[in-house]
Amino acid sequence: ARFRHLRTRKAVLFVNHHGPLPVGTGGACGRHATAWNLLKTIATHSKGKDGIVLVGDFNADASTLTVKELDQRLHRVYTGTSFGGMDHVFSNCAGSKVVSRKNLGSGGSDHDALEVVLQL
């Protein structure tokens, strides 16, 4: 989904991903293809100076090729702890643009809710 602030006209492309199974494999297409398909989707739907936020249950921890590929092109601004760190938040904003990060707990899900506040 692409959102635009009415006053500042700044836009954000927000992408939610649920990774393939089995865990850590990249599914039928493999780890490289999973990462590249996500990046291609972002490139296709973002414009100019959009803020990019990619979130989800990737079914891949930080040691997997899928996450390492994404790490080369986006900033991983937060990783949860559920299932050894399968949930990630990536963005093209990092450093001082990350205002806060917080694990909100499970709230009844098998994964934790993650909160990241970014300043565009």
mmCIF file with all atom_site columns, all heavy atoms in Angstrom, residues 42-58:
data_model
loop_
_atom_site.group_PDB
_atom_site.id
_atom_site.type_symbol
_atom_site.label_atom_id
_atom_site.label_alt_id
_atom_site.label_comp_id
_atom_site.label_asym_id
_atom_site.label_entity_id
_atom_site.label_seq_id
_atom_site.pdbx_PDB_ins_code
_atom_site.Cartn_x
_atom_site.Cartn_y
_atom_site.Cartn_z
_atom_site.occupancy
_atom_site.B_iso_or_equiv
_atom_site.pdbx_formal_charge
_atom_site.auth_seq_id
_atom_site.auth_comp_id
_atom_site.auth_asym_id
_atom_site.auth_atom_id
_atom_site.pdbx_PDB_model_num
ATOM 1   N N   . ILE A 1 42 ? 8.941  -3.840  -4.649  1.00 0.00 ? 42 ILE A N   1
ATOM 2   C CA  . ILE A 1 42 ? 9.184  -2.498  -4.101  1.00 0.00 ? 42 ILE A CA  1
ATOM 3   C C   . ILE A 1 42 ? 9.572  -1.534  -5.218  1.00 0.00 ? 42 ILE A C   1
ATOM 4   O O   . ILE A 1 42 ? 9.038  -0.420  -5.311  1.00 0.00 ? 42 ILE A O   1
ATOM 5   C CB  . ILE A 1 42 ? 10.257 -2.559  -2.998  1.00 0.00 ? 42 ILE A CB  1
ATOM 6   C CG1 . ILE A 1 42 ? 9.676  -3.263  -1.757  1.00 0.00 ? 42 ILE A CG1 1
ATOM 7   C CG2 . ILE A 1 42 ? 10.765 -1.169  -2.651  1.00 0.00 ? 42 ILE A CG2 1
ATOM 8   C CD1 . ILE A 1 42 ? 10.718 -3.642  -0.728  1.00 0.00 ? 42 ILE A CD1 1
ATOM 9   N N   . ALA A 1 43 ? 10.474 -1.937  -6.077  1.00 0.00 ? 43 ALA A N   1
ATOM 10  C CA  . ALA A 1 43 ? 10.912 -1.068  -7.178  1.00 0.00 ? 43 ALA A CA  1
ATOM 11  C C   . ALA A 1 43 ? 9.774  -0.744  -8.136  1.00 0.00 ? 43 ALA A C   1
ATOM 12  O O   . ALA A 1 43 ? 9.674  0.384   -8.635  1.00 0.00 ? 43 ALA A O   1
ATOM 13  C CB  . ALA A 1 43 ? 12.062 -1.735  -7.934  1.00 0.00 ? 43 ALA A CB  1
ATOM 14  N N   . THR A 1 44 ? 8.900  -1.695  -8.369  1.00 0.00 ? 44 THR A N   1
ATOM 15  C CA  . THR A 1 44 ? 7.776  -1.493  -9.285  1.00 0.00 ? 44 THR A CA  1
ATOM 16  C C   . THR A 1 44 ? 6.751  -0.507  -8.733  1.00 0.00 ? 44 THR A C   1
ATOM 17  O O   . THR A 1 44 ? 6.183  0.287   -9.485  1.00 0.00 ? 44 THR A O   1
ATOM 18  C CB  . THR A 1 44 ? 7.086  -2.843  -9.577  1.00 0.00 ? 44 THR A CB  1
ATOM 19  O OG1 . THR A 1 44 ? 8.039  -3.712  -10.185 1.00 0.00 ? 44 THR A OG1 1
ATOM 20  C CG2 . THR A 1 44 ? 5.888  -2.685  -10.491 1.00 0.00 ? 44 THR A CG2 1
ATOM 21  N N   . HIS A 1 45 ? 6.528  -0.541  -7.424  1.00 0.00 ? 45 HIS A N   1
ATOM 22  C CA  . HIS A 1 45 ? 5.429  0.234   -6.850  1.00 0.00 ? 45 HIS A CA  1
ATOM 23  C C   . HIS A 1 45 ? 5.862  1.498   -6.105  1.00 0.00 ? 45 HIS A C   1
ATOM 24  O O   . HIS A 1 45 ? 5.006  2.313   -5.750  1.00 0.00 ? 45 HIS A O   1
ATOM 25  C CB  . HIS A 1 45 ? 4.590  -0.654  -5.940  1.00 0.00 ? 45 HIS A CB  1
ATOM 26  C CG  . HIS A 1 45 ? 3.932  -1.767  -6.688  1.00 0.00 ? 45 HIS A CG  1
ATOM 27  N ND1 . HIS A 1 45 ? 2.833  -1.566  -7.496  1.00 0.00 ? 45 HIS A ND1 1
ATOM 28  C CD2 . HIS A 1 45 ? 4.235  -3.082  -6.794  1.00 0.00 ? 45 HIS A CD2 1
ATOM 29  C CE1 . HIS A 1 45 ? 2.490  -2.711  -8.056  1.00 0.00 ? 45 HIS A CE1 1
ATOM 30  N NE2 . HIS A 1 45 ? 3.322  -3.651  -7.650  1.00 0.00 ? 45 HIS A NE2 1
ATOM 31  N N   . SER A 1 46 ? 7.147  1.675   -5.868  1.00 0.00 ? 46 SER A N   1
ATOM 32  C CA  . SER A 1 46 ? 7.600  2.907   -5.200  1.00 0.00 ? 46 SER A CA  1
ATOM 33  C C   . SER A 1 46 ? 7.916  3.965   -6.246  1.00 0.00 ? 46 SER A C   1
ATOM 34  O O   . SER A 1 46 ? 8.103  3.659   -7.424  1.00 0.00 ? 46 SER A O   1
ATOM 35  C CB  . SER A 1 46 ? 8.828  2.626   -4.336  1.00 0.00 ? 46 SER A CB  1
ATOM 36  O OG  . SER A 1 46 ? 9.911  2.206   -5.130  1.00 0.00 ? 46 SER A OG  1
ATOM 37  N N   . LYS A 1 47 ? 7.964  5.191   -5.777  1.00 0.00 ? 47 LYS A N   1
ATOM 38  C CA  . LYS A 1 47 ? 8.252  6.319   -6.666  1.00 0.00 ? 47 LYS A CA  1
ATOM 39  C C   . LYS A 1 47 ? 9.269  7.236   -5.997  1.00 0.00 ? 47 LYS A C   1
ATOM 40  O O   . LYS A 1 47 ? 9.162  7.528   -4.810  1.00 0.00 ? 47 LYS A O   1
ATOM 41  C CB  . LYS A 1 47 ? 6.973  7.101   -6.967  1.00 0.00 ? 47 LYS A CB  1
ATOM 42  C CG  . LYS A 1 47 ? 5.933  6.284   -7.710  1.00 0.00 ? 47 LYS A CG  1
ATOM 43  C CD  . LYS A 1 47 ? 4.686  7.074   -7.986  1.00 0.00 ? 47 LYS A CD  1
ATOM 44  C CE  . LYS A 1 47 ? 3.663  6.185   -8.674  1.00 0.00 ? 47 LYS A CE  1
ATOM 45  N NZ  . LYS A 1 47 ? 2.401  6.852   -8.867  1.00 0.00 ? 47 LYS A NZ  1
ATOM 46  N N   . GLY A 1 48 ? 10.229 7.681   -6.781  1.00 0.00 ? 48 GLY A N   1
ATOM 47  C CA  . GLY A 1 48 ? 11.168 8.716   -6.356  1.00 0.00 ? 48 GLY A CA  1
ATOM 48  C C   . GLY A 1 48 ? 11.715 8.579   -4.956  1.00 0.00 ? 48 GLY A C   1
ATOM 49  O O   . GLY A 1 48 ? 12.447 7.652   -4.658  1.00 0.00 ? 48 GLY A O   1
ATOM 50  N N   . LYS A 1 49 ? 11.304 9.497   -4.105  1.00 0.00 ? 49 LYS A N   1
ATOM 51  C CA  . LYS A 1 49 ? 11.844 9.580   -2.749  1.00 0.00 ? 49 LYS A CA  1
ATOM 52  C C   . LYS A 1 49 ? 10.922 8.964   -1.709  1.00 0.00 ? 49 LYS A C   1
ATOM 53  O O   . LYS A 1 49 ? 10.948 9.348   -0.543  1.00 0.00 ? 49 LYS A O   1
ATOM 54  C CB  . LYS A 1 49 ? 12.133 11.036  -2.404  1.00 0.00 ? 49 LYS A CB  1
ATOM 55  C CG  . LYS A 1 49 ? 13.209 11.648  -3.270  1.00 0.00 ? 49 LYS A CG  1
ATOM 56  C CD  . LYS A 1 49 ? 13.526 13.050  -2.843  1.00 0.00 ? 49 LYS A CD  1
ATOM 57  C CE  . LYS A 1 49 ? 14.618 13.634  -3.719  1.00 0.00 ? 49 LYS A CE  1
ATOM 58  N NZ  . LYS A 1 49 ? 15.031 14.956  -3.275  1.00 0.00 ? 49 LYS A NZ  1
ATOM 59  N N   . ASP A 1 50 ? 10.110 7.992   -2.113  1.00 0.00 ? 50 ASP A N   1
ATOM 60  C CA  . ASP A 1 50 ? 9.214  7.325   -1.157  1.00 0.00 ? 50 ASP A CA  1
ATOM 61  C C   . ASP A 1 50 ? 9.998  6.739   0.010   1.00 0.00 ? 50 ASP A C   1
ATOM 62  O O   . ASP A 1 50 ? 11.095 6.213   -0.165  1.00 0.00 ? 50 ASP A O   1
ATOM 63  C CB  . ASP A 1 50 ? 8.476  6.154   -1.813  1.00 0.00 ? 50 ASP A CB  1
ATOM 64  C CG  . ASP A 1 50 ? 7.322  6.576   -2.694  1.00 0.00 ? 50 ASP A CG  1
ATOM 65  O OD1 . ASP A 1 50 ? 7.078  7.792   -2.833  1.00 0.00 ? 50 ASP A OD1 1
ATOM 66  O OD2 . ASP A 1 50 ? 6.673  5.678   -3.254  1.00 0.00 ? 50 ASP A OD2 1
ATOM 67  N N   . GLY A 1 51 ? 9.386  6.817   1.184   1.00 0.00 ? 51 GLY A N   1
ATOM 68  C CA  . GLY A 1 51 ? 9.857  6.006   2.292   1.00 0.00 ? 51 GLY A CA  1
ATOM 69  C C   . GLY A 1 51 ? 9.414  4.578   2.009   1.00 0.00 ? 51 GLY A C   1
ATOM 70  O O   . GLY A 1 51 ? 8.329  4.361   1.463   1.00 0.00 ? 51 GLY A O   1
ATOM 71  N N   . ILE A 1 52 ? 10.249 3.620   2.329   1.00 0.00 ? 52 ILE A N   1
ATOM 72  C CA  . ILE A 1 52 ? 9.936  2.209   2.104   1.00 0.00 ? 52 ILE A CA  1
ATOM 73  C C   . ILE A 1 52 ? 9.908  1.515   3.456   1.00 0.00 ? 52 ILE A C   1
ATOM 74  O O   . ILE A 1 52 ? 10.845 1.652   4.250   1.00 0.00 ? 52 ILE A O   1
ATOM 75  C CB  . ILE A 1 52 ? 11.007 1.515   1.225   1.00 0.00 ? 52 ILE A CB  1
ATOM 76  C CG1 . ILE A 1 52 ? 11.234 2.258   -0.077  1.00 0.00 ? 52 ILE A CG1 1
ATOM 77  C CG2 . ILE A 1 52 ? 10.671 0.039   1.022   1.00 0.00 ? 52 ILE A CG2 1
ATOM 78  C CD1 . ILE A 1 52 ? 10.070 2.267   -1.009  1.00 0.00 ? 52 ILE A CD1 1
ATOM 79  N N   . VAL A 1 53 ? 8.847  0.757   3.712   1.00 0.00 ? 53 VAL A N   1
ATOM 80  C CA  . VAL A 1 53 ? 8.758  -0.056  4.915   1.00 0.00 ? 53 VAL A CA  1
ATOM 81  C C   . VAL A 1 53 ? 8.307  -1.451  4.490   1.00 0.00 ? 53 VAL A C   1
ATOM 82  O O   . VAL A 1 53 ? 7.238  -1.608  3.901   1.00 0.00 ? 53 VAL A O   1
ATOM 83  C CB  . VAL A 1 53 ? 7.777  0.542   5.951   1.00 0.00 ? 53 VAL A CB  1
ATOM 84  C CG1 . VAL A 1 53 ? 7.723  -0.327  7.202   1.00 0.00 ? 53 VAL A CG1 1
ATOM 85  C CG2 . VAL A 1 53 ? 8.167  1.971   6.316   1.00 0.00 ? 53 VAL A CG2 1
ATOM 86  N N   . LEU A 1 54 ? 9.142  -2.435  4.769   1.00 0.00 ? 54 LEU A N   1
ATOM 87  C CA  . LEU A 1 54 ? 8.867  -3.836  4.461   1.00 0.00 ? 54 LEU A CA  1
ATOM 88  C C   . LEU A 1 54 ? 8.834  -4.589  5.778   1.00 0.00 ? 54 LEU A C   1
ATOM 89  O O   . LEU A 1 54 ? 9.817  -4.574  6.525   1.00 0.00 ? 54 LEU A O   1
ATOM 90  C CB  . LEU A 1 54 ? 9.965  -4.400  3.542   1.00 0.00 ? 54 LEU A CB  1
ATOM 91  C CG  . LEU A 1 54 ? 10.004 -5.915  3.318   1.00 0.00 ? 54 LEU A CG  1
ATOM 92  C CD1 . LEU A 1 54 ? 8.731  -6.405  2.644   1.00 0.00 ? 54 LEU A CD1 1
ATOM 93  C CD2 . LEU A 1 54 ? 11.237 -6.280  2.500   1.00 0.00 ? 54 LEU A CD2 1
ATOM 94  N N   . VAL A 1 55 ? 7.708  -5.222  6.085   1.00 0.00 ? 55 VAL A N   1
ATOM 95  C CA  . VAL A 1 55 ? 7.532  -5.895  7.377   1.00 0.00 ? 55 VAL A CA  1
ATOM 96  C C   . VAL A 1 55 ? 6.983  -7.299  7.173   1.00 0.00 ? 55 VAL A C   1
ATOM 97  O O   . VAL A 1 55 ? 6.414  -7.605  6.131   1.00 0.00 ? 55 VAL A O   1
ATOM 98  C CB  . VAL A 1 55 ? 6.559  -5.116  8.296   1.00 0.00 ? 55 VAL A CB  1
ATOM 99  C CG1 . VAL A 1 55 ? 7.002  -3.683  8.494   1.00 0.00 ? 55 VAL A CG1 1
ATOM 100 C CG2 . VAL A 1 55 ? 5.141  -5.166  7.763   1.00 0.00 ? 55 VAL A CG2 1
ATOM 101 N N   . GLY A 1 56 ? 7.114  -8.122  8.208   1.00 0.00 ? 56 GLY A N   1
ATOM 102 C CA  . GLY A 1 56 ? 6.412  -9.386  8.178   1.00 0.00 ? 56 GLY A CA  1
ATOM 103 C C   . GLY A 1 56 ? 7.099  -10.528 8.880   1.00 0.00 ? 56 GLY A C   1
ATOM 104 O O   . GLY A 1 56 ? 8.189  -10.393 9.433   1.00 0.00 ? 56 GLY A O   1
ATOM 105 N N   . ASP A 1 57 ? 6.424  -11.655 8.802   1.00 0.00 ? 57 ASP A N   1
ATOM 106 C CA  . ASP A 1 57 ? 6.952  -12.942 9.236   1.00 0.00 ? 57 ASP A CA  1
ATOM 107 C C   . ASP A 1 57 ? 7.632  -13.524 8.009   1.00 0.00 ? 57 ASP A C   1
ATOM 108 O O   . ASP A 1 57 ? 6.974  -14.052 7.116   1.00 0.00 ? 57 ASP A O   1
ATOM 109 C CB  . ASP A 1 57 ? 5.813  -13.841 9.723   1.00 0.00 ? 57 ASP A CB  1
ATOM 110 C CG  . ASP A 1 57 ? 6.240  -15.284 9.942   1.00 0.00 ? 57 ASP A CG  1
ATOM 111 O OD1 . ASP A 1 57 ? 7.444  -15.581 9.825   1.00 0.00 ? 57 ASP A OD1 1
ATOM 112 O OD2 . ASP A 1 57 ? 5.361  -16.110 10.224  1.00 0.00 ? 57 ASP A OD2 1
ATOM 113 N N   . PHE A 1 58 ? 8.927  -13.410 7.950   1.00 0.00 ? 58 PHE A N   1
ATOM 114 C CA  . PHE A 1 58 ? 9.682  -13.818 6.766   1.00 0.00 ? 58 PHE A CA  1
ATOM 115 C C   . PHE A 1 58 ? 9.940  -15.323 6.733   1.00 0.00 ? 58 PHE A C   1
ATOM 116 O O   . PHE A 1 58 ? 10.434 -15.837 5.741   1.00 0.00 ? 58 PHE A O   1
ATOM 117 C CB  . PHE A 1 58 ? 11.003 -13.049 6.706   1.00 0.00 ? 58 PHE A CB  1
ATOM 118 C CG  . PHE A 1 58 ? 10.837 -11.624 6.261   1.00 0.00 ? 58 PHE A CG  1
ATOM 119 C CD1 . PHE A 1 58 ? 10.263 -10.683 7.089   1.00 0.00 ? 58 PHE A CD1 1
ATOM 120 C CD2 . PHE A 1 58 ? 11.242 -11.237 5.004   1.00 0.00 ? 58 PHE A CD2 1
ATOM 121 C CE1 . PHE A 1 58 ? 10.096 -9.369  6.677   1.00 0.00 ? 58 PHE A CE1 1
ATOM 122 C CE2 . PHE A 1 58 ? 11.082 -9.919  4.579   1.00 0.00 ? 58 PHE A CE2 1
ATOM 123 C CZ  . PHE A 1 58 ? 10.499 -8.988  5.419   1.00 0.00 ? 58 PHE A CZ  1
#
